[in-house]
Amino acid sequence: MTFVELARMADSVYNDSAVITVYHLSSSRSERIVWLMEELGLDYRMEFHAREPTGAAPPAMKAIHALGKAPIIRDGDAVLAESGAIVDYIVHRHGGGRLALAPDHPDYASYLYWLHFAEGSLMSLMLIALVISRIPEAKESPVRARVLARMAQMLAFVDGELAGREYFAGGAFTAADVMMVFPFTTMRRYLEYDLSPYANIGAYLERVEARPAYRKAIELAGPDARAPGK
């Protein structure tokens, strides 16, 4: 172990206020933040919160942030929620802009689009589909049919946009990918849908799942992860 590595370890032990705390809720979008920290190689502390038997977040999370929803981070005196806001904050405040594209980059528009598309368009539609799927009376509803048709249209759009691209913003892995993966992986534990017609999404996920930082993050904070010692 080098002197620099020893110094970083000592700093994380004796100066805990300098380390970002990631409040992780089991099987949730906060896995994105753990993944981001691993990709950037930043020091962090993960506080694991298990869901209640009902699936709800435990009351302890409301003591951290009034809405009690993951993800949440603490950086010194700052407490921040919302995946996109946290990703943007970490990338620019602690990552030196790594995994982001500068405004003068040719792929900046794509980067910005997919960074916000993940929650603004894709996850919002999937959550509507999830709610409808849990209402027995809605099984044959024309509303459900329209939502599912809209989902198929959106997945086809995403698949088409990935044609010929390694990652969402082009040839380089970025924070937009950190935002975009969850709807195609952990979200499918809750909302059943078939990805087999979308070969480009499938190939993209294989590339992502081969990343060492992603594998480590899923081990620590993925849908099958458990609190340390459990």
Side-chain angles (χ1 to χ4, degrees), residues 123-187:
M123 277 298 294
S124 59
L125 181 62
M126 287 184 170
L127 288 171
I128 292 170
L130 177 63
V131 170
I132 291 175
S133 73
R134 294 181 175 181
I135 303 173
E137 296 83 358
K139 186 176 181 181
E140 305 301 329
S141 166
V143 173
R144 178 175 181 270
R146 286 198 297 272
V147 169
L148 293 180
R150 177 62 177 155
M151 257 196 68
Q153 178 189 29
M154 191 168 289
L155 291 171
F157 165 70
V158 173
D159 192 68
E161 291 294 304
L162 278 172
R165 293 188 189 188
E166 288 291 305
Y167 296 103
F168 275 100
F173 176 87
T174 69
D177 298 290
V178 173
M179 290 296 294
M180 281 296 297
V181 167
F182 180 89
F184 305 123
T185 54
T186 302
M187 185 61 184

Side-chain angles (χ1 to χ4, degrees), residues 14-146:
Y14 296 111
N15 188 19
D16 194 53
S17 63
V19 178
I20 292 174
T21 298
V22 179
Y23 299 99
H24 172 62
L25 177 64
S26 59
S27 196
S28 80
R29 282 173 273 192
S30 53
E31 71 181 43
R32 286 168 167 160
I33 312 306
V34 176
W35 179 20
L36 178 66
M37 300 300 282
E38 292 293 338
E39 289 283 357
L40 290 171
L42 297 175
D43 292 330
Y44 68 99
R45 183 175 72 89
M46 187 177 78
E47 186 174 296
F48 196 107
H49 292 261
R51 289 184 181 272
E52 299 281 285
T54 61
M61 293 202 76
K62 284 190 176 180
I64 304 164
H65 187 276
L67 293 180
K69 295 181 179 180
I72 311 169
I73 65 164
R74 183 184 298 276
D75 181 21
D77 293 330
V79 175
L80 187 63
E82 290 295 334
S83 297
I86 293 171
V87 166
D88 213 18
Y89 176 90
I90 290 172
V91 163
H92 291 288
R93 192 172 183 91
H94 293 281
R98 287 179 293 143
L99 301 187
L101 297 184
D104 60 353
H105 192 285
D107 293 321
Y108 178 67
S110 291
Y111 166 76
L112 205 59
Y113 179 79
W114 295 111
L115 185 73
H116 293 281
F117 177 92
E119 289 292 312
S121 293
L122 187 55
M123 277 298 294
S124 59
L125 181 62
M126 287 184 170
L127 288 171
I128 292 170
L130 177 63
V131 170
I132 291 175
S133 73
R134 294 181 175 181
I135 303 173
E137 296 83 358
K139 186 176 181 181
E140 305 301 329
S141 166
V143 173
R144 178 175 181 270
R146 286 198 297 272

Side-chain angles (χ1 to χ4, degrees), residues 218-230:
I218 292 304
E219 181 182 343
L220 293 171
D224 296 320
R226 296 290 180 268
K230 295 295 180 71

